[in-house]
Every structure is written in structure tokens, then in C-alpha cells.
Amino acid sequence: MDVCLSSEQQPGHLGKGPSSPDGWLETKEEETLQKDDTSGSPGDFNEKPSLHSLQKFVPTNYASYTQEYYLFAGKRIVIQESIESYGAVVWPGATALCQYLEEHPEELNLQDAKILEIGAGPGLVSIVASILGAQVTATDMPDVLGNLQYNLLRNTLNCTAHLPEVKELVWGEGLEQNFPKSTFYYDYILASDVVYHHYFLDKLLATMVYLCQPGTVMLWANKFRFSTDYEFLDKFKQVFDTTFLAEFPESSVKIFKGTLKWD
């Protein structure tokens, strides 16, 4: 698909595509891909997995979806979004974090790095990290996973060195069972716009702390809207050695790096 092709346009949000009043979009681009995926000899016809064969989670049937186009890491990225869910929209912190990732590839050394994204939403940050060579696990609430996986597969299948994984992660719940420290280690934990007006901030911080082991770097981007956002930042600084990395004044987004304090 052309989402895997390079472009010389400026990075960021490119605009909207067609919308669908009937829920999950099935684009002509994908239909053409499926019809054209018959090249080669009969023996290798089924060697490459298709998007739909890998789709384990079904996208929520919202009344409508739109396609939004982004450009990061030299690739055009198509994201299926819906304003009917916080978890189906790309927020300012996500685009800011994507910009930071693509501008600091050597410093971050993302090639083959193991990354987990908290609150991945529609998946833009995980897609960009994958394009930059990382081994990504994208996590979110159960109702978000279908659209998240759809977007990940659509933009990374046969395009990246590592196909991203999708896992359910409810903040503060089942962490030891689903992410045992003896098995799961991550070089980076990514989070964008996970702090806003909700009642799970303590569970969010506990999840961040749990997922970070010695050597793990936390990269957190957030649009600061409320006083509670700054209160969370103060708590974050109590448990993480915190470095302010960047600010995007036009969107009120700040990016912080944290490494867990060890006694």
C-alpha cells in the first residue's frame, strides 16, 4: 500500500480522508490490495499473511469513522479515527511525541528497542516507533484494541522490521499476571495524553512504575490542561528522575523523560 511509501512533505497531520457512516472503514485501497495480492507462483500464494487474517480484535462499531493522514519518519500514515471515543482519536501529545521520536533517532537508538506504549489509542505513536525500527507492544482498554490493531496492521504489515503486538492493559489491574517482570522487559515506555480529567491517575502512575525496570526509560508527552495535570507531574517527579525534554507552545504539550528512582 502507498502508506509504506516515502514522501518529501513536511511531517505532521496532513488532513482528513473519506468518512464512513457505517462504522469500520473498508477502503478501496485495501480492496485493491487484496485483489492484487495474487502475484507470484501458486506455491507462494499464501506465504504473506493478510491484514484480515492477523486481525484478532474487532473494531468497535461506532456510527462513523474518518481517515486522518499523517506524515512521520518519511512515511504517509493513515489512521482510522472516531470522535465517539477518547481512545479512537489522535491527541496533541501523540503528534508531539511522534515528532520527538523522528527527530532523535540516533540519541534514542530505537532500532530493535523493546517498547511498550500505554494508552496507545488509535496507534499513531506505536506506528511511528515501529517505522523507526522498534519492537512495539501497543496497549489500551479492551474496547480500543480492535481499531488500534487495525491501524497498526494497516500501516506496518510488510513495511517494518517488527510487526507490532497488541495487548490489553487496564491501568493498575493484572500487571503481575499479564506482564510478569521475569518475562517482560522494555527499553522504553511511551505515553501521550494519558493524563486528563479522569479518576485513574493513581492507577496510571502505579502502572508506569511497575513497567519500568532498571534501564527502562519513560517518555511521557502531555497537553497540560488542568491543575490536576500538574499535580500528577509532581507525583511523577517523586518516583522518577525527571528530565524536561521539549515543549510545543502552540499545543501546550510538554515531553518528559523519566527513569525510576531506586533506593
Side-chain angles (χ1 to χ4, degrees), residues 157-225:
L157 184 60
N158 302 323
C159 301
T160 58
H162 308 285
L163 192 64
E165 182 182 2
V166 175
K167 287 178 67 73
E168 176 183 330
L169 175 55
V170 179
W171 298 339
E173 297 184 13
L175 295 175
E176 294 183 2
Q177 178 182 355
N178 299 321
F179 298 89
K181 290 180 180 290
S182 60
T183 305
F184 293 92
Y185 172 84
Y186 299 100
D187 298 297
Y188 289 96
I189 305 297
L190 305 182
S192 62
D193 274 332
V194 290
V195 177
Y196 50 96
H197 189 59
H198 61 75
Y199 300 102
F200 305 101
L201 294 177
D202 289 340
K203 289 186 175 182
L204 169 61
L205 185 58
T207 300
M208 290 177 168
V209 169
Y210 175 84
L211 292 171
C212 289
Q213 299 187 49
T216 301
V217 175
M218 178 87 209
L219 294 179
W220 167 42
N222 221 90
K223 179 180 175 70
F224 281 75
R225 307 168 177 85

Side-chain angles (χ1 to χ4, degrees), residues 1 3-4 33 37 47-51 54 152-164:
M1 291 188 294
V3 293
C4 301
L33 177 69
D37 194 22
E47 286 185 5
K48 288 187 178 181
S50 67
L51 184 154
L54 294 172
L152 290 177
L153 290 171
R154 184 180 185 185
N155 290 280
T156 65
L157 184 60
N158 302 323
C159 301
T160 58
H162 308 285
L163 192 64

